[in-house]
Amino acid sequence: VQIMRVAPDSPALKADLKENDRIVVVNDEAVKDYEQLRTIVSNRKPGEEINLKIIRDGQEQTLKLKLEEAPAVPKGQAIPLD
């Protein structure tokens, strides 16, 4: 899963994820697509740490990311994707 954007003050930014990084493994589970990544993360609780294996500039790296509560989205509003 390629990172297209890292939101300010997000767990991704705190874990040092960068645009164009590719997440390939989460906690020893290979990640094939965004839906699988979302499922893996949603089965965890805020405060838990996960290990991410990423590819950055052709090099494999491992990062730790501490999960946080997802922000609430008011009913009827879309989540911005850009």
Side-chain angles (χ1 to χ4, degrees), residues 26-77:
V26 176
N27 287 349
D28 299 321
E29 187 173 344
V31 176
K32 298 175 210 137
D33 57 33
Y34 174 75
E35 289 302 318
Q36 183 185 16
L37 174 63
R38 193 172 142 190
T39 299
I40 292 168
V41 172
S42 68
N43 287 329
R44 305 285 191 272
K45 295 179 182 169
E48 284 187 53
E49 280 191 349
I50 58 174
N51 293 309
L52 303 175
K53 192 172 287 185
I54 65 163
I55 304 294
R56 178 182 295 160
D57 300 325
Q59 300 293 318
E60 191 174 280
Q61 296 182 27
T62 301
L63 303 175
K64 285 191 180 217
L65 183 142
K66 186 174 183 178
L67 298 175
E68 295 180 4
E69 189 74 36
V73 177
K75 190 173 183 176
Q77 280 192 344

